[in-house]
Amino acid sequence: MTTDISSVARALGLPRPMRNDSIDTLLTDSRSLTFPRTSLFFAIPTKENDGHRYVRQLYDTGVRNFVVNRVPQEMEGVRDANFLVVPDTVGALQQVARRLTPRAAEVVAITGSAGKTTIKEWLFQMLEPTCAVTRSPRSYNSRIGVPLSLWEVAPKTDVAIIEAGVSHTGEMQPLAEIIDPDTVIFTNLGPEHSHGFASPLEKAREKALLARAPHVRTLIYCADSELIAEVLKDIDVPHRLSWSRRDPQMPIFIEKTETSGPMTLVSYRFKGESHALTVPFISDGELEDAFHALAYLLSRGIAPEEIAAMFTTLHPIATRLNVSDGVNGCTLIYDSYTSDYSSLLPALDFLRRRLADGRTSTVILSDLRHESRRPGVYGDIARLLRATGIRRVIGVGPEMQANIAMFGPDAVAFSSTSELLKSLSTSDFQNETILIKGAPEFGFERLPEMLEARKHETVLEVNLDAVVKNFNYFRSHLAPGTGLIAMVKASGYGAGSYEIAKTLQAQGAAYLAVAVLDEGIELRQRGITMPIIVMNPKVVNYRSMFAYRLEPEIYSMEMLRDVAREAAKNRITQYPLHIKLDTGMHRMGFVEEELPEMLDFLAAQDNVTIASVFSHLATADCPDMDDYTLLQLDRFKRYTDYIAERWPHPFLRHVLNSAGILRFPQYGYDLARLGIGLYGANTLPPEMERPLANVSTLRTVIIALRHWKKGETIGYGRRGVLERDSVIATIPIGYADGMNRHFGNGNITVLVGGKEAPTVGNICMDACMIDVTGIDCHVGDAVEIFGPNMSVQRLADVLGTIPYEVLTSVSPRVKRVYYRE
């Protein structure tokens, strides 16, 4: 969509601006800036942040058009920029999308708890060859994502497919107004995003508001969902195309499904006639998505025989964007979502945020699966890559070969992935951040296999979206002015500190905290610029600490004198320190009697200064010891009040940890420290547990299967004695990977094919055995050690320890794969 700022002002009911610039990009996140001159930035205040903080930064990079609810003080008097002042910048964004974007011939809106993205992409795959289709990028379905999705609708679009998601009551009505759909697909109702609703019924009613939009002609849903059927029953629409597996009176009745290898043969009845099609998937969720897509295609009047042919073209929708360590200091970003121009934008944005100093950026891109017929699309991609700062382009496919000259003199292209693998080796990549993005038929999964630094079948998957969700969950319990210190010590509690740090830096954490100096230096060397506290800085190399701007925790007079002396030696003044007080943990810290001496010393020099004062709660997660926690909190107030009276400069205070944030948020002060809660582990008693998102999943695969008779023994020392004829699987994870030897001999179970399988015999160094008798499984099948279905707490209970120990014991040789949905 391209317009001008005068049209935007007119849509918002505002006077004509001073300068009439062309606008083709609506920007809500300053970090996503690609085209400064043609971007319109909406400064959106949220509970966690405020877009007005970034107006000056964007202005300095060339942005000249802003929608704000106030002109920032530092921008007053600026005459070469347009500021459209509105009371609500989110409402203005929605109004611009509603009034300025062209309307497609048909607008399809998809809501529900799950399946929205899959249905949207499948419909795009099946319709795009025959008509002009625009759809939401990835999962842009929120009050901000929906208007950004509508902005992508081009003139003369035949079908626009828009996702609509809500998390609280009151959110769907404005989305329904700006989408104004012709067709609504209500997928299902599940537990996702339920915390903003009083009940499942309230959630269903909120989502159903989309179907009450004034121009809805067709309503598609599963009639077997009683709750969905209930909230939709009184909505008057011309065409109600519900489907069912149980009720033959429904417009579409699924008569029979039969699994055949990786496919499902479906028989269905529509308008009194039976038809068949083959769905290239077998899971219940994918079949449900397929039946919704089937209903929509039938609603368009497409013949069942043609629909059956369309379904044969479907491929899985991989919504993950994986990040892993590559060879020769590279970082790999593998995006298998889809291959087209619109999906390239968020992938490049993700890459740019992960560029570290001294690294170049490389994109390996296949021919487009869709949009290839659009005139000039490869030229648009070349311009986008240049604007993003991509230094190296490697193309795969005949279309990329034909258009490679557009990408610069150093760009190269190969006819196939096999040719690329024959022509290039690991030595051709050095200190690069590499985005790998290709259509499924090009088999790009072979490229990460070549370029990954570690090839171990056992993988620790780290969900960066879950990290963000947990960060925001804890932040929501604190006062708006209270910042969060994110603990990334012990390599991010085993998850890997750099990707966690990069994610939290982008999310607006106030500080990072590491355990030792080397951890902080590594983060600095990889491009982390935000303040970092070193919690256990018994330092011998002060010069490195100063050079990398790492701020030490100080817990004794000896440390204080050492750091001040070294700062003076290096001619440093006002170096920030973080003073630790012992209010009851009795591990480290200044006690009350030492405070006068500490303050006298600090007052007599100017080489170091107090950045913050903090303490650590010993029993915040123990409700039966709240008296002791309150005693510590009272001491902390008394000690810090005394420091504030004696110290002439402002400083920050922080005392809450993860459990403290949830149970004592009124003591948030200026900062709070978020540790194990960030990684999804609950430390509160079971009756007080909170809905944290699982961050880390330890997976492996079955590498061998054997049938053994009753009485046979398994493993070292013949400790695993079979009491029945059994099927035993070997999995490549042992105590050298973090699989504690106490987990052997049936002390834990792992998950195989949705069923629990106990360990058999002793845990070996590099492998262990599990009993899969009665479980339908094969060599290569996935095994979950801990994750969303198998709590890490149960492993901690076996060891008589806490989740921290289990998470941090996962060996460095286990490959970490980071992903976002």
Side-chain angles (χ1 to χ4, degrees):
M1 172 67 186
T2 299
T3 186
D4 55 56
I5 194 64
S6 294
S7 298
V8 173
R10 192 161 51 249
L12 297 175
L14 298 173
R16 182 183 177 91
M18 293 184 301
R19 43 187 290 163
N20 192 25
D21 296 327
S22 178
I23 300 295
D24 61 19
T25 302
L26 304 186
L27 185 68
T28 60
D29 188 330
S30 62
R31 298 163 298 180
S32 300
L33 178 67
T34 302
F35 302 105
R37 288 293 175 182
T38 55
S39 291
L40 173 61
F41 179 66
F42 289 78
I44 298 175
T46 67
K47 188 173 182 179
E48 297 85 18
N49 209 341
D50 188 351
H52 293 81
R53 297 176 183 172
Y54 307 100
V55 169
R56 182 76 212 192
Q57 171 190 328
L58 288 168
Y59 174 84
D60 290 341
T61 57
V63 178
R64 289 297 179 268
N65 294 281
F66 303 88
V67 177
V68 297
N69 58 30
R70 66 184 186 283
V71 177
Q73 185 176 358
E74 65 270 20
M75 300 303 293
E76 291 177 359
V78 171
R79 294 288 175 261
D80 64 337
N82 292 317
F83 293 95
L84 307 186
V85 182
V86 298
D88 175 11
T89 49
V90 173
L93 174 67
Q94 295 174 346
Q95 199 168 345
V96 167
R98 181 181 183 184
R99 296 189 176 182
L100 293 185
T101 55
R103 181 172 178 84
E106 181 182 10
V107 178
V108 180
I110 308 177
T111 192
S113 296
K116 297 186 293 295
T117 300
T118 297
I119 295 170
K120 174 195 69 183
E121 292 297 333
W122 282 353
L123 290 179
F124 178 75
Q125 289 176 27
M126 291 188 284
L127 292 173
E128 193 267 345
T130 60
C131 61
V133 184
T134 300
R135 86 281 199 209
S136 303
R138 286 195 176 265
S139 299
Y140 279 33
N141 57 33
S142 67
R143 63 193 190 121
I144 294 173
V146 166
L148 295 179
S149 297
L150 289 170
W151 187 258
E152 299 299 318
V153 176
K156 299 182 180 179
T157 294
D158 296 311
V159 181
I161 309 173
I162 307 297
E163 293 186 42
V166 293
S167 301
H168 299 86
T169 55
E171 291 183 346
M172 183 58 85
Q173 186 59 43
L175 297 187
E177 292 174 1
I178 64 172
I179 299 172
D180 191 16
D182 302 292
T183 298
V184 170
I185 302 174
F186 197 144
T187 63
N188 52 48
L189 277 174
E192 296 86 353
H193 310 294
S194 294
H195 62 275
F197 303 97
S199 67
L201 179 60
E202 182 179 75
K203 179 180 177 181
R205 285 174 173 161
E206 180 69 20
K207 291 180 179 291
L209 291 175
L210 184 62
R212 296 183 183 274
H215 296 107
V216 175
R217 301 194 312 269
T218 304
L219 181 55
I220 295 170
Y221 62 97
C222 175
D224 297 338
S225 171
E226 295 179 3
L227 191 53
I228 292 177
E230 173 67 23
V231 298
L232 297 179
K233 68 180 182 181
D234 64 339
I235 298 178
D236 185 21
V237 293
H239 306 288
R240 185 181 291 265
L241 205 57
S242 55
W243 62 269
S244 173
R245 286 184 163 193
R246 301 197 297 253
D247 186 352
Q249 301 305 312
M250 288 299 107
I252 302 172
F253 176 53
I254 308 301
E255 296 176 315
K256 181 182 178 182
T257 59
E258 182 180 346
T259 301
S260 176
M263 299 181 294
T264 302
L265 310 179
V266 178
S267 299
Y268 68 95
R269 193 165 189 82
F270 178 62
K271 291 184 175 181
E273 295 185 3
S274 293
H275 305 280
L277 68 110
T278 299
V279 178
F281 308 101
I282 59 174
S283 74
D284 289 341
E286 288 169 319
L287 290 178
E288 183 177 280
D289 295 341
F291 298 151
H292 282 109
L294 168 65
Y296 174 72
L297 296 175
L298 289 170
S299 78
R300 287 182 61 85
I302 301 175
E305 297 77 14
E306 188 177 346
I307 292 174
M310 288 177 163
F311 265 87
T312 64
T313 67
L314 293 184
H315 62 80
I317 304 301
T319 57
R320 282 188 178 186
L321 196 155
N322 289 344
V323 183
S324 58
D325 290 333
V327 297
N328 305 326
C330 292
T331 295
L332 307 181
I333 302 173
Y334 178 40
D335 181 9
S336 56
Y337 177 59
T338 185
S339 179
D340 54 54
Y341 181 84
S342 61
S343 70
L344 184 59
L345 289 164
L348 289 172
D349 184 37
F350 187 85
L351 176 147
R352 182 169 47 190
R353 297 187 193 191
R354 268 147 184 79
L355 277 179
D357 292 342
R359 286 196 180 189
T360 59
S361 53
T362 297
V363 170
I364 305 177
L365 185 68
S366 80
D367 289 352
L368 301 186
R369 183 181 179 92
H370 309 285
E371 302 178 328
S372 59
R373 298 186 311 276
R374 178 165 71 81
V377 65
Y378 284 98
D380 291 344
I381 291 175
R383 283 187 291 275
L384 176 62
L385 295 183
R386 284 195 295 272
T388 311
I390 302 302
R391 301 292 181 86
R392 184 183 183 194
V393 177
I394 300 172
V396 177
E399 292 178 9
M400 283 297 294
Q401 281 187 309
N403 292 281
I404 198 63
M406 297 180 180
F407 295 85
D410 297 326
V412 296
F414 303 92
S415 62
S416 65
T417 305
S418 296
E419 185 188 350
L420 183 155
L421 291 170
K422 290 178 183 177
S423 303
L424 299 178
S425 68
T426 56
S427 61
D428 292 303
F429 300 89
Q430 189 85 29
N431 292 323
E432 301 167 53
T433 300
I434 305 169
L435 171 63
I436 302 170
K437 187 170 180 59
E441 58 265 30
F442 284 91
F444 267 23
E445 65 275 5
R446 290 181 286 168
L447 300 181
E449 292 173 3
M450 175 184 79
L451 294 173
E452 281 176 341
R454 289 185 283 272
K455 312 294 185 184
H456 205 306
E457 297 101 329
T458 299
V459 174
L460 185 71
E461 296 179 344
V462 182
N463 186 339
L464 297 177
D465 287 332
V467 172
V468 171
K469 181 178 179 181
N470 292 335
F471 181 86
N472 288 334
Y473 177 76
F474 281 92
R475 182 155 58 179
S476 71
H477 285 73
L478 297 167
T482 302
L484 277 176
I485 301 171
M487 311 299 291
V488 294
K489 60 183 181 178
S491 189
Y493 289 73
S497 58
Y498 170 69
E499 283 296 332
I500 301 292
K502 195 76 175 177
T503 299
L504 296 173
Q505 178 171 273
Q507 200 61 24
Y511 278 87
L512 297 174
V514 298
V516 296
L517 189 66
D518 288 347
E519 292 178 338
I521 290 174
E522 180 183 0
L523 289 178
R524 287 282 188 250
Q525 290 175 337
R526 298 193 66 178
I528 300 300
T529 58
M530 65 184 296
I532 299 176
I533 302 173
V534 183
M535 305 299 287
N536 296 302
K538 193 61 179 177
V539 181
V540 292
N541 189 348
Y542 288 99
R543 189 180 297 275
S544 291
M545 185 182 79
F546 297 138
Y548 287 103
R549 308 181 317 284
L550 302 174
E551 304 176 15
E553 166 192 316
I554 302 297
Y555 51 80
S556 70
M557 284 304 302
E558 177 189 6
M559 285 187 67
L560 179 59
R561 292 189 183 97
D562 284 350
V563 174
R565 181 182 65 251
E566 294 299 322
K569 186 187 301 183
N570 287 275
R571 299 181 180 178
I572 292 172
T573 60
Q574 299 296 301
Y575 198 79
L577 307 180
H578 300 268
I579 305 297
K580 184 166 188 177
L581 306 178
D582 185 349
T583 59
M585 175 72 94
H586 301 329
R587 182 172 60 182
M588 295 181 293
F590 290 91
V591 295
E592 189 171 18
E593 294 76 17
E594 295 173 324
L595 298 183
E597 180 185 4
M598 176 195 73
L599 292 167
D600 288 342
F601 178 86
L602 287 169
Q605 54 80 57
D606 69 346
N607 301 107
V608 296
T609 190
I610 300 176
S612 80
V613 178
F614 71 103
S615 189
H616 198 94
L617 299 178
T619 59
D621 56 350
C622 304
D624 57 328
M625 300 185 192
D626 281 354
D627 287 347
Y628 193 76
T629 300
L630 293 171
L631 172 64
Q632 281 196 266
L633 291 168
D634 180 69
R635 287 174 177 170
F636 183 73
K637 182 179 185 304
R638 187 170 76 248
Y639 296 2
T640 56
D641 284 351
Y642 173 76
I643 295 172
E645 291 172 3
R646 294 265 328 259
W647 185 246
H649 309 294
F651 60 89
L652 303 173
R653 310 184 202 200
H654 49 106
V655 67
L656 298 182
N657 54 13
S658 295
I661 293 170
L662 299 178
R663 302 195 61 237
F664 303 96
Q666 66 272 30
Y667 295 95
Y669 289 100
D670 306 293
L671 299 166
R673 298 184 305 280
L674 179 54
I676 192 66
L678 181 64
Y679 303 93
N682 270 293
T683 60
L684 299 177
E687 66 276 9
M688 300 178 70
E689 285 190 355
R690 304 302 177 94
L692 302 181
N694 180 77
V695 170
S696 296
T697 299
L698 184 60
R699 296 188 194 278
T700 189
V701 297
I702 294 173
I703 58 172
L705 281 170
R706 287 282 190 181
H707 293 256
W708 298 110
K709 294 291 186 180
K710 177 182 177 179
E712 290 287 352
T713 58
I714 306 297
Y716 285 117
R718 305 185 66 196
R719 293 289 301 278
V721 181
L722 300 183
E723 298 179 355
R724 62 178 180 182
D725 290 355
S726 302
V727 182
I728 303 301
T730 302
I731 56 178
I733 181 171
Y735 57 79
D737 303 297
M739 190 75 162
N740 194 288
R741 292 192 77 236
H742 291 90
F743 293 159
N745 300 300
N747 287 326
I748 70 163
T749 59
V750 298
L751 198 67
V752 181
K755 296 181 179 179
E756 296 188 25
T759 56
V760 182
N762 287 330
I763 304 294
C764 310
M765 176 181 284
D766 306 305
C768 65
M769 284 66 75
I770 56 176
D771 187 344
V772 294
T773 306
I775 299 175
D776 182 15
C777 59
H778 306 86
V779 171
D781 283 359
V783 179
E784 181 179 319
I785 310 301
F786 63 73
N789 305 298
M790 303 294 282
S791 167
V792 71
Q793 181 65 55
R794 78 190 216 294
L795 302 183
D797 291 343
V798 169
L799 300 177
T801 185
I802 55 179
Y804 298 54
E805 182 176 339
V806 177
L807 291 172
T808 57
S809 66
V810 178
S811 167
R813 81 175 186 177
V814 173
K815 180 173 68 178
R816 270 69 171 169
V817 173
Y818 305 89
Y819 69 92
R820 301 199 78 150
E821 298 289 354

